[in-house]
Amino acid sequence: MGKLVVGNLKMNLLSSDEREKYFELFKKEISGKRLGDCEIVLCPPFIHLEVFKKTLSKRTKIGAQNMFWEGSGSYTGEISGAMLKNFGCDYVIIGHSERRKYFCENNEEVNLKVQSAVKADLKPIICIGETRIEKETQQMLSVITKQLKKALEGVTRPKLENIVVAYEPVWAVGTDITPTAHEIMEAKVLIRKILVEGFGKKYAEKVPILYGGSVNSRTVKNLCNDPEMDGILVGRESLVPHEFIKIAEIISNSN
Ligand code: PGA
């Protein structure tokens, strides 16, 4: 499978002027670049989704940063999977550590969102990862296991091919502190094992496992050294198209 390079733009691009500037730079950077069979996904704030879809070429897929699990109705301020799908989204990030931290999202809610995303024919990018304290107290493996197993409850085998898992140690997000390539592979091996045990090898192998947390063009080579890495989730650096596309180029050349 080709590598996935996902940009999480978070709560940025505050005006249409900023958005236009971003498009201008992004188009300039991506034009003529050989990215092999890399799939580029940009996840802007909800308010920009439709314009991103209309403005960027088919080469760039669009994702949301969150969704609600109900389909429609009296849920003030929420956005459903069907809405995202109808406005051109392919992907949706679910259970990002910032949502778990600031909005107290728990594993049960993450699971409801994953099920609803799959039903809406979206590809959920499920974020899992341990906090610093959990790492220091040797709980990394148990935390990941618990988060992933719960997130996937109710997902059927054929639907597994729409799932993406992102290992994002919370202590590495936005901190410029990164795990070693060995630690990332340890997490990846565990994630694959859980998938194989739950769904069988044939289905489990189809799930891309990404790494996320302080990825930039200088760190990406070490972080995703292993040909087994299926891709990355980039936060801050995705706001700088020059850097983001450079990261994608490095990943695509590591195939
Ligand atoms: P970062 O964010 O690249 O800024 O560390 C990663 C993420 O939030 O997915």
Side-chain angles (χ1 to χ4, degrees), residues 8 10 96 98 168 172-175 212-215 233-237:
N8 175 8
K10 307 195 180 183
H96 189 279
E98 286 153 13
E168 293 214 305
V173 174
T175 58
S214 297
V215 176
L233 178 46
V234 185
R236 285 160 298 163
E237 299 289 305

Side-chain angles (χ1 to χ4, degrees), residues 27-250:
K27 285 180 186 171
K28 187 172 144 233
E29 290 298 332
I30 201 167
S31 122
K33 293 279 157 55
R34 291 217 195 138
L35 300 175
D37 55 357
C38 250
E39 177 143 300
I40 306 279
V41 183
L42 282 179
C43 303
F46 288 132
I47 201 163
H48 298 312
L49 284 171
E50 196 181 358
V51 184
F52 264 66
K53 179 71 188 174
K54 284 187 178 149
T55 307
L56 298 178
S57 73
K58 283 206 176 67
R59 194 173 176 190
T60 309
K61 302 276 183 232
I62 306 298
Q65 299 172 17
N66 180 35
M67 60 173 277
F68 189 49
W69 57 78
E70 292 292 348
S72 65
S74 304
Y75 303 102
T76 304
E78 293 296 334
I79 304 278
S80 76
M83 292 158 99
L84 296 178
K85 188 73 196 176
N86 293 337
F87 280 88
C89 278
D90 299 291
Y91 290 86
V92 55
I93 297 172
I94 293 181
H96 189 279
S97 59
E98 286 153 13
R99 295 217 53 90
R100 293 181 193 255
K101 179 175 170 193
Y102 298 118
F103 305 95
C104 305
E105 270 190 24
N106 59 35
N107 291 337
E108 283 70 29
E109 288 165 338
V110 167
N111 174 246
L112 289 172
K113 291 183 181 191
V114 169
Q115 293 198 60
S116 179
V118 166
K119 211 162 132 197
D121 206 18
L122 290 163
K123 296 181 178 179
I125 301 170
I126 305 170
C127 297
I128 56 173
E130 79 287 0
T131 63
R132 175 178 301 284
I133 307 269
E134 287 162 347
K135 176 182 165 58
E136 285 168 0
T137 51
Q138 278 75 50
Q139 292 182 76
M140 183 264 234
L141 301 182
S142 63
V143 168
I144 291 183
T145 305
K146 196 167 162 200
Q147 288 179 337
L148 186 58
K149 281 191 172 167
K150 186 68 202 176
L152 292 174
E153 256 177 40
V155 174
T156 59
R157 282 180 167 182
K159 291 288 183 191
L160 201 66
E161 67 179 10
N162 287 331
I163 301 279
V164 179
V165 178
Y167 171 57
E168 293 214 305
V170 181
W171 50 273
V173 174
T175 58
D176 285 328
I177 305 168
T178 48
T180 61
H182 175 76
E183 285 173 320
I184 296 175
M185 282 320 287
E186 198 183 12
K188 182 170 171 173
V189 167
L190 174 70
I191 292 167
R192 190 71 74 201
K193 183 166 163 266
I194 296 167
L195 294 171
V196 170
E197 280 169 8
F199 299 88
K201 194 159 182 276
K202 184 177 131 202
Y203 294 95
E205 272 173 351
K206 292 188 181 148
V207 178
I209 303 174
L210 317 183
Y211 167 75
S214 297
V215 176
N216 60 45
S217 62
R218 294 163 307 283
T219 56
V220 66
K221 217 172 169 65
N222 278 342
L223 294 173
C224 301
N225 205 358
D226 199 291
E228 293 276 299
M229 271 325 284
D230 303 318
I232 40 164
L233 178 46
V234 185
R236 285 160 298 163
E237 299 289 305
S238 64
L239 282 165
V240 186
H242 177 69
E243 278 297 305
F244 184 62
I245 299 300
K246 203 159 144 191
I247 292 169
E249 276 187 294
I250 295 170

